[in-house]
Amino acid sequence: MTEPSPTAAAMEASADAAPKPLSHGPRLVWLDVVKGISILWIVFFHFFKQFTHGRFPDPWLPHYFAKSLALCAPGSAIETIACVGRAIFVAIAMFAFPAVGVFIVMSGFGLTYALAKTDSPPGGWLGWDRARVIRLFPLYWTAHLIYLISPFEARYDPIDYRFILSFFGDRIYPTSIIEYLNPAWWYFGLIFELYLIFPILYVLLHKVGAKWFLVACAGVTILCRYILLFNIIQTSGMVITAFCGCRLWEFAFGMVLGVAYRKYHDWIEKRLFSTPALWGGILLYTAGLYCFNSRFTYIFMDALTGTGLFVILAHLSWHSRRLVRSEAFLAHVGVYSYGLYLIHEPYSTYFGVQMRWMTMPGFIIATAAIIAVITIACSRLERAINALVDRLLHHPGAPLAKAQ
């Protein structure tokens, strides 16, 4: 495979100049922190969307601040400042949806980073697939059972044949299943598709090299999104997000970054966490947001926002080292983000609706408390399920390696 080819001098210089890698044991803590920030942002967004219920203008539409100020109707300079602050807060809360793209990037990164050490899965691809299935499905099945029996959940869909399809991993066909029961589960279907084609992508990356691999994946992504948007299912926007061909760029970008990070750790760190990279991430993310309102530019939106936001959050994570407790908390949430993702949305929908009578400060405080409870419960559940799977399928003392 064609890799980045820094000179020996450049490698030595980067080793001296780059920050020390933030890692404890086999995990990359900065990556776990990115996961923690992303999942908490997404969870809060789901609460916030139900709470606001269209009371505020959409920040991705034109003239957002003008509309927000007109709605707020400030009568003084101090009130104007407060209204602008509220508009900024609403925009930040509502712009959480691109954080899903960050998880796609991180998934490609984590899978490839783990394999790049040996360039092949230790147990072969069949063993690799088995480990992914064992990692993904037990907690996913548990989330389905919790949905059936738990109180305080929003339930808008009947239990029908789609429950069985969903239980066994189908979140793409029929298209009505994409947001069935728990809308967040569309991402499970997407990541399962990407896991299925990952061996092919990994071999292709080795054969053609990083540059042509990215070019090919960008081409496939653009083509798939164009065909679906303009020729087949113009009314089903969720198919664009849930079909792996439409999200291939983010996954491929993560794969290339993962193998490069493994091969040229210090050299990549120096560039990824540089100021030019941060500004590049901001420009990509901003450009992606501007792509939201046109069908043609929407072809490029997820690739731009996912890539750009990953770089931005990576920088935020990198600098969180100065706040040791915050870093540890966010990293812990990131390690167990899978359980929180699978379970949170029916609760966020239910409680978000119930809290519509509250003021904004009251809502924020109450939501923070509920998210804390759900996060703790989900992390304990995920640990318990993983431990149970280890005991059932593996010898004691030989825990199952987690999928990245």
Side-chain angles (χ1 to χ4, degrees), residues 85-161:
R86 188 181 73 173
I88 293 173
F89 176 81
V90 170
I92 292 173
M94 295 298 287
F95 277 141
F97 65 89
V100 176
V102 176
F103 273 101
I104 300 173
V105 173
M106 289 188 292
S107 182
F109 180 102
L111 291 173
T112 313
Y113 178 81
L115 283 180
K117 186 174 182 180
T118 59
D119 279 336
S120 62
W125 286 114
L126 287 178
W128 185 91
D129 288 334
R130 176 177 175 270
R132 303 290 81 69
V133 169
I134 292 173
R135 167 62 176 149
L136 285 178
F137 273 94
L139 194 57
Y140 179 67
W141 289 333
T142 303
H144 278 69
L145 299 178
I146 289 174
Y147 181 89
L148 291 177
I149 65 175
S150 175
F152 309 115
E153 288 190 319
R155 293 185 173 89
Y156 298 130
D157 296 307
I159 304 299
D160 54 29
Y161 73 98

Side-chain angles (χ1 to χ4, degrees), residues 11 63 107 175 197 217 287:
M11 289 291 290
H63 313 296
S107 182
T175 56
I197 65 173
C217 290

Side-chain angles (χ1 to χ4, degrees), residues 221-258:
T221 304
I222 293 171
L223 180 62
C224 288
R225 293 176 75 92
Y226 177 82
I227 291 174
L228 292 179
L229 280 168
F230 288 92
N231 295 285
I232 298 182
I233 44 174
Q234 299 178 22
T235 59
S236 185
M238 278 304 296
V239 176
I240 305 301
T241 50
F243 173 54
C244 65
C246 295
R247 308 304 296 265
L248 189 57
W249 165 264
E250 295 134 287
F251 193 70
F253 172 74
M255 288 180 63
V256 170
L257 185 61

